[in-house]
Each structure stands twice: as C-alpha cells, then as structure tokens.
Amino acid sequence: MFRRITVSALAALLVLPSLPVSAATGSYSEKHEVVYATLDANGSQEEMYVVNNFTMKKPGEITDFGPYTSVHNLTNLEEINQSGNKVEVTTEEEEFYYQGDLEGQDLPWDISVSYKLDGKKVSPEELAGKDGSLEIHINTKKNKQAEDVFFNHYLMQISLTLDGDRYENIQAPEGTIANAGKDRRVTYTVMPEKEGSFVMKADVTELEMEPIEFAAIPSSMSIDAPDIGGVKSDMTSLSDATAEVNRGVGELKNGIAQTNNGAASLYDGSVQYRNGINELSNGSDELVQGSARIQSALDEISQSVSESGGGSLGDFAKMEEGLRQIAGGLQEVENGLVGLKDQYSQANQALGQSIDAIPGYEITEADIQKLYESGADKAVVDKLLETYKAAQTVKGTYAEVREAFGAVAPALDQSAGALSDMSANLNGMADQLASSLDNVDIDESMKQLQEGLGQLASQYQSFHAGLKDYTGGVDQLAGSYSDLHNGIAGLTNGTSELENGAAQLHNGTSELASETSDLPTQIDQEIDKMVEEYDKSDFEPVSFVSSKNEKVGSVQFVIKTESIKKPEEKEEAPEVEEEKNFWDRLVDLFK
C-alpha cells in the first residue's frame, strides 16, 4: 500500500511541471509606436509594419491591441500570443519590443511621386541609367479614408539623397539643399493640416536614386508669441498718420466743395457779365451812329448860321427847335449810357464776387506728397491738383485785369456827364435864341449863337472821337471775354468733377482710417491666430493601430519609396576544377 502511494506521488511530481502556470500581471509606464511603410517609386503603398516599444514598470504579462496579420518578438525568444486583435506577452525586460505586420491599413497621407526626363513624363522603371534634365514632382494630401488626427497634428519631412557624382545644378525652390559627404540632401517640410506640392530639378548622368524618405512626427513644439512692442508702436504711429491724412483729405474735400460753389457762382456772374458786355457791344454801333448824326446836325447848323450871317424870326425859331431836338438826342444817348453803366456795374460786381469766392488756401508740396502716399487713386489726385491750379490761375488772371474792368463804369459815367453838359448847353443856347427874338439887335444874337454853335460842334467832335474809341474797346473786350467765359465754364465742370473725386477720396481715406484705427490690437489677434494654428504642444498622442491602446507616449512614421537602380549584371561563375584524391593522382602517373 505504501509503495503504491509513493509511485502515485512520484507520478504526480513528474506531471506537475507540464501544467500551465498563471503568469503575474505586468505593467508599463509608456508605449511608443514607430510605423514603417514602404511605397513603390510612384508613391503607392506596398508593405507596412509597426514596431511597438514598452517601457516596463513591473515585469510580467502585458496586453496590446492591433489588427496584425503576424507578430514577432524583437526582444527575446518568448512566444507572443495573439488572439484576433489582442496581443499578450510576458517579459522580464525593462524595455520590450515587438513587431506587428499590417495589411490594408491606410496611411494618413496620400503620397504621389512622378518623374519627367527632358520634359517628358517617364515611369520609374525607364529612368535607371538615363541621362538628361530630371524633374521629380512630389505631392502629399490628406487621406480621407484614414484617421485625420495625424494629418492635423503631424509635421512631415521629405528627404531626397542625391549622389553628387551623378546630379548637378540641383534646384529645389521650396526646399533646402545640404551637403552630406559627397551626396546632396534635399529636404522639404509640410506643416500640419497642409498639403504639399514640390518640384526638384537637376541634371543627371546614369540616373540612380536612393529611396525618397518621408518622416512624420508630432508638431509638439511650443510657439511663443514674438515681442512686437516696437512694431506695435510703429503701427500706432501709422494709425495716427492715417487718421491725420483722413482729416486732411476731409478739409481738402470741404475746401474743394467751397471752390466748386465759388466756381458755380463765378459762372453765373460770368454769364451776366458776358450778356451785359455783349449788349453794350451790340448797342455801341447805335451810339456811334446816333452820335455821328448829332455831329452832322451840329456841323450843318453851325455852317448854316455862319453862311446866313443873319436871318428872319422864322429862321431863329427853326434853329431853336433844332437845338432842342439835338439836346433831346444827347439826353437819350446819356440815358442809354447810364443804363449800360448800371448793367455793366451789376455784371462786374457779380463777376468779382464769384472770383472772390474761390478759396485762396495754398496746397503745399508736403500736402500733395501725403495725398499720393495715402493710397488714393493717383488719377483722382492728379485731377484735384489740375483743377486747383486752374482755379488759382483764373483768380490770379482776374486780379491782374480787375482794375481795367473797374475803370469801365467810371468811363461810362464820365461820358454820360459830358453828354449831359452838352445837352444843357444846347438847351441854354435854345433858351438864349428864344430870348433873343425879343431883342432888337438880331445881328449880335446871331453872332453869339454862331460862336456858341462853333464851340459846341468842336467839343462834340472830340466827344464823338472818344466815343468811337470807347465802343471799339468794348467790342474788343466782348470778343476777348468769350474765351475767358469758356475757361470759366471749363473750370466749373472741372471743380464739379473734382468735388465728386474728393468725396470718393475722402470715403477711401475714411475707410482706411477706420480699418487701421486699431492696428495694434489687430496685430495681436493675427499673431494669436497664427500661434494657435501652428502650436500643437497640447496634442495628446493616440495609437495608430488601435484606440484600445493606452499610455501612448509617441507615434512616428517612417516611410520610404523603392530605390531606382540599374539591374546588376550577372557574372559567369568560373569553372572549379574538381580536387583529385590520392588514387586519381596515382593513376595519372601511369597515363
């Protein structure tokens, strides 16, 4: 009985080591994933695997997740158990690595690479060993089939390694070129949330190329806002200057509006003056003709009295009547001159008021330079200056001829006064002639009349010559003033357009002043926006293979295309003579 128990116990002891022993549960502080992917030379995805690294806190069994087709222990010879997406392994190491192979897993980026040789698109298979001008086009886009967290937070670096003996005249406008021994290394960078499009050009001989590498890591660097105190101070000065320009343009607009109003009044006054001077010119012919008739009548009367040497009472009565008719004619001429003088005075006063309404302010070269620097439409500013100069020219021209215009009315007054005196003299002579009819000494009266008529005829001849000169000057003034009036009309049109242009200019500077009134705050907001866009320091890493994985410290991507190489030529193996043994050598001695 005792023997049987002993045998049974021994059998049990032999069996115990083969029974499964439950492993202790381990733990890790952090897990890292490095995703390796290979692409063909055009960028199409081929193979992918992930190297998982665990920093162990406590030795034992740990669990990981991923849709791997196969797994490989890279740390030791311990077996890895895989059940579906669940991976279990027991380790005693401080750092544990294993590889998981993936199929059908999409990268976060769509990558495409194309090639041109001497301007023609060429497949990678045809490039090896060729010479010519090479272009490589690389494009990266967001893969809509993959999780977008990596595209949004990862910075991608693209590197091409080019043999310095094969590649010359390398051009990479959006990349950097560095020396790496005899090689040249071209590097491009794609920021998070951005798509990349790059072109590398070079002259190549016997083309071969190492794989194009794509490395993607989290853009976790913290970006501090720059110190822009000086810039903000400059922007404040710019904002103040813009506001000052706007105020200046506002004053200019108001001044131009006054100029336009003055030009409109000037035009109205010029119309009145032109009409008055034309009426005066048109009436001057009648004045001259009437004066000539008066002159002729005086001459005839004077000659008649001289030739008759006396006369009857009837002759004296006719003379009296003729004198009174001439006196009446002179009175009518006087009244005409007085009327013309009144019309001319009104027109001249209106013209003077209109000219005086043109503002006399001065626009300096500094003001003009500010206008051009304000960003206003150059054509509008040019028109403003042109009209301003025209207005000042009219004002200056009128100042030069104002005295001559003012002398016209006194001349009319003087002429009217002379006519009034002659009319009074004629009436006096008629009165004397009438009173002389009662005088017995008719010869003495006739002598006095003859002397008076001679003096009157001589005086009137001088007046008539002066009247002809005066009316000729009026005609010349009327003809010349038409040109001046046309210029004033053009000025009025110009100032009207100028006022509209100044209003548009002021609207533009007002908008500019409004937009730049808070430049420092806008700069701060834009900088904050840019920092927020590129600062990914708050990004929390997530697993690429499974959302069930925890304590992910980092995930990196290492992606390479196939290299482009010339096919190696196979060398024929040399014939190897079979080594002879002792008996073969012995037989050879007898041959």
Side-chain angles (χ1 to χ4, degrees):
M1 181 68 178
F2 178 77
R3 186 176 181 180
R4 290 179 181 175
I5 294 175
T6 301
V7 173
S8 300
L10 182 60
L13 289 173
L14 294 173
V15 173
L16 277 175
S18 64
L19 295 176
V21 178
S22 177
T25 301
S27 64
Y28 57 90
S29 60
E30 206 170 37
K31 176 197 176 181
H32 303 277
E33 298 175 0
V34 181
V35 182
Y36 294 89
T38 58
L39 313 175
D40 65 16
N42 287 121
S44 298
Q45 185 174 328
E46 291 185 335
E47 297 180 354
M48 181 187 294
Y49 64 91
V50 180
V51 173
N52 299 280
N53 163 231
F54 298 85
T55 301
M56 301 300 297
K57 287 175 59 178
K58 177 183 176 183
E61 185 181 78
I62 57 175
T63 302
D64 195 38
F65 298 91
Y68 302 116
T69 57
S70 60
V71 292
H72 311 279
N73 190 333
L74 304 178
T75 305
N76 52 46
L77 300 177
E78 292 290 334
E79 184 180 355
I80 298 178
N81 296 318
Q82 182 181 13
S83 176
N85 289 348
K86 185 176 182 181
V87 178
E88 294 177 336
V89 65
T90 301
T91 180
E92 301 291 331
E93 308 290 341
E94 292 182 358
E95 295 286 334
F96 177 75
Y97 295 85
Y98 86 91
Q99 174 181 324
D101 299 328
L102 293 170
E103 288 185 4
Q105 185 88 351
D106 291 315
L107 285 168
W109 302 271
D110 279 333
I111 298 173
S112 65
V113 184
S114 60
Y115 307 84
K116 287 184 178 181
L117 189 65
D118 295 330
K120 296 181 180 180
K121 192 169 184 179
V122 181
S123 65
E125 295 79 9
E126 300 174 301
L127 281 174
K130 297 293 181 64
D131 303 338
S133 178
L134 175 68
E135 291 183 19
I136 301 178
H137 296 255
I138 303 172
N139 296 285
T140 65
K141 296 181 179 180
K142 177 182 177 181
N143 188 344
K144 297 180 180 179
Q145 306 301 321
E147 179 64 45
D148 61 3
V149 64
F150 300 102
F151 178 83
N152 292 337
H153 292 85
Y154 273 52
L155 181 147
M156 176 181 284
Q157 190 174 69
I158 306 170
S159 301
L160 296 86
T161 302
L162 306 174
D163 187 342
D165 294 334
R166 300 176 185 270
Y167 291 84
E168 295 180 347
N169 302 323
I170 301 172
Q171 300 176 39
E174 298 183 22
T176 58
I177 304 174
N179 294 329
K182 72 180 186 68
D183 295 333
R184 303 291 181 267
R185 194 168 183 84
V186 181
T187 304
Y188 301 97
T189 301
V190 183
M191 298 301 291
E193 301 183 82
K194 302 296 182 182
E195 297 181 344
S197 181
F198 309 104
V199 179
M200 191 283 298
K201 297 181 179 181
D203 295 329
V204 62
T205 304
E206 295 184 5
L207 188 150
E208 285 191 350
M209 193 171 71
E210 296 297 323
I212 302 174
E213 300 178 3
F214 302 80
I217 58 174
S219 177
S220 57
M221 59 181 178
S222 178
I223 300 177
D224 296 326
D227 181 10
I228 58 169
V231 176
K232 289 173 67 175
S233 176
D234 293 340
M235 290 301 102
T236 300
S237 299
L238 174 61
S239 179
D240 294 342
T242 304
E244 186 65 28
V245 169
N246 183 51
R247 283 192 290 272
V249 172
E251 294 175 359
L252 174 65
K253 185 195 74 169
N254 295 334
I256 290 173
Q258 295 176 11
T259 300
N260 187 41
N261 294 336
S265 300
L266 171 63
Y267 180 76
D268 293 339
S270 179
V271 169
Q272 296 179 21
Y273 182 84
R274 183 196 62 185
N275 294 339
I277 200 69
N278 286 338
E279 289 180 7
L280 185 60
S281 176
N282 294 333
S284 62
D285 289 340
E286 297 179 3
L287 280 175
V288 171
Q289 292 174 5
S291 178
R293 287 194 294 271
I294 292 172
Q295 177 71 53
S296 177
L298 284 173
D299 290 341
E300 289 180 3
I301 292 175
S302 178
Q303 183 178 3
S304 175
V305 171
S306 298
E307 292 176 352
S308 64
S312 64
L313 293 177
D315 293 333
F316 278 102
K318 291 180 180 178
M319 290 181 185
E320 177 189 358
E321 182 180 357
L323 290 174
R324 294 193 186 281
Q325 289 178 355
I326 293 174
L330 290 175
Q331 186 66 43
E332 290 180 1
V333 173
E334 176 194 356
N335 293 337
L337 288 176
V338 170
L340 287 176
K341 189 266 294 184
D342 292 340
Q343 291 179 358
Y344 178 83
S345 297
Q346 293 176 2
N348 189 46
Q349 182 180 7
L351 179 64
Q353 291 174 348
S354 301
I355 294 290
D356 292 338
I358 298 176
Y361 58 81
E362 180 181 1
I363 299 179
T364 65
E365 290 296 328
D367 295 331
I368 295 172
Q369 189 63 28
K370 281 185 179 180
L371 277 176
Y372 281 119
E373 292 175 354
S374 68
D377 187 344
K378 184 178 181 300
V380 173
V381 177
D382 290 342
K383 187 177 289 185
L384 290 173
L385 297 175
E386 181 182 351
T387 305
Y388 166 76
K389 292 176 180 178
Q392 297 308 311
T393 300
V394 170
K395 191 175 181 72
T397 302
Y398 180 74
E400 295 177 359
V401 301
R402 188 168 197 161
E403 184 176 353
F405 281 5
V408 173
L412 288 174
D413 270 338
Q414 186 177 0
S415 299
L419 289 176
S420 178
D421 291 342
M422 284 187 283
S423 176
N425 288 336
L426 287 174
N427 283 321
M429 293 175 64
D431 291 340
Q432 290 178 4
L433 184 61
S435 63
S436 65
L437 294 177
D438 298 328
N439 194 339
V440 177
D441 191 357
I442 295 178
D443 292 335
E444 183 63 23
S445 297
M446 287 295 294
K447 183 177 180 181
Q448 294 178 359
L449 176 62
Q450 182 179 358
E451 291 176 356
L453 286 174
Q455 293 177 0
L456 179 62
S458 177
Q459 292 176 0
Y460 194 83
Q461 186 174 7
S462 299
F463 169 78
H464 181 70
L467 183 63
K468 287 180 65 177
D469 292 340
Y470 164 73
T471 54
V474 169
D475 291 342
Q476 185 177 1
L477 176 62
S480 301
Y481 192 77
S482 294
D483 296 335
L484 178 61
H485 178 72
N486 293 335
I488 292 174
L491 172 65
T492 305
N493 296 332
T495 55
S496 178
E497 295 180 7
L498 182 60
E499 183 178 11
N500 295 333
Q504 295 177 9
L505 178 61
H506 187 244
N507 291 338
T509 55
S510 297
E511 184 177 353
L512 179 62
S514 176
E515 292 294 332
T516 58
S517 62
D518 197 19
L519 271 179
T521 302
Q522 294 178 28
I523 291 174
D524 283 334
Q525 292 174 349
E526 288 299 319
I527 289 177
D528 291 342
K529 183 179 178 181
M530 293 177 64
V531 169
E532 182 180 355
E533 180 179 358
Y534 291 108
D535 188 349
K536 307 293 183 179
S537 58
D538 58 348
F539 171 63
E540 294 291 336
V542 296
S543 173
F544 173 69
V545 290
S546 176
S547 60
K548 294 181 180 180
N549 291 330
E550 300 176 348
K551 301 177 183 178
V552 179
S554 68
V555 176
Q556 301 179 38
F557 294 85
V558 179
I559 308 166
K560 291 185 178 183
T561 65
E562 291 178 346
S563 61
I564 299 176
K565 299 287 186 181
K566 292 188 295 183
E568 296 183 0
E569 296 181 0
K570 293 183 179 180
E571 296 182 358
E572 293 184 2
E575 294 183 3
V576 179
E577 293 185 2
E578 185 179 352
E579 187 178 353
K580 297 180 179 181
N581 58 27
F582 173 78
W583 293 107
D584 292 331
R585 291 196 296 271
L586 181 60
V587 171
D588 288 340
L589 290 175
F590 296 96
K591 289 184 179 179

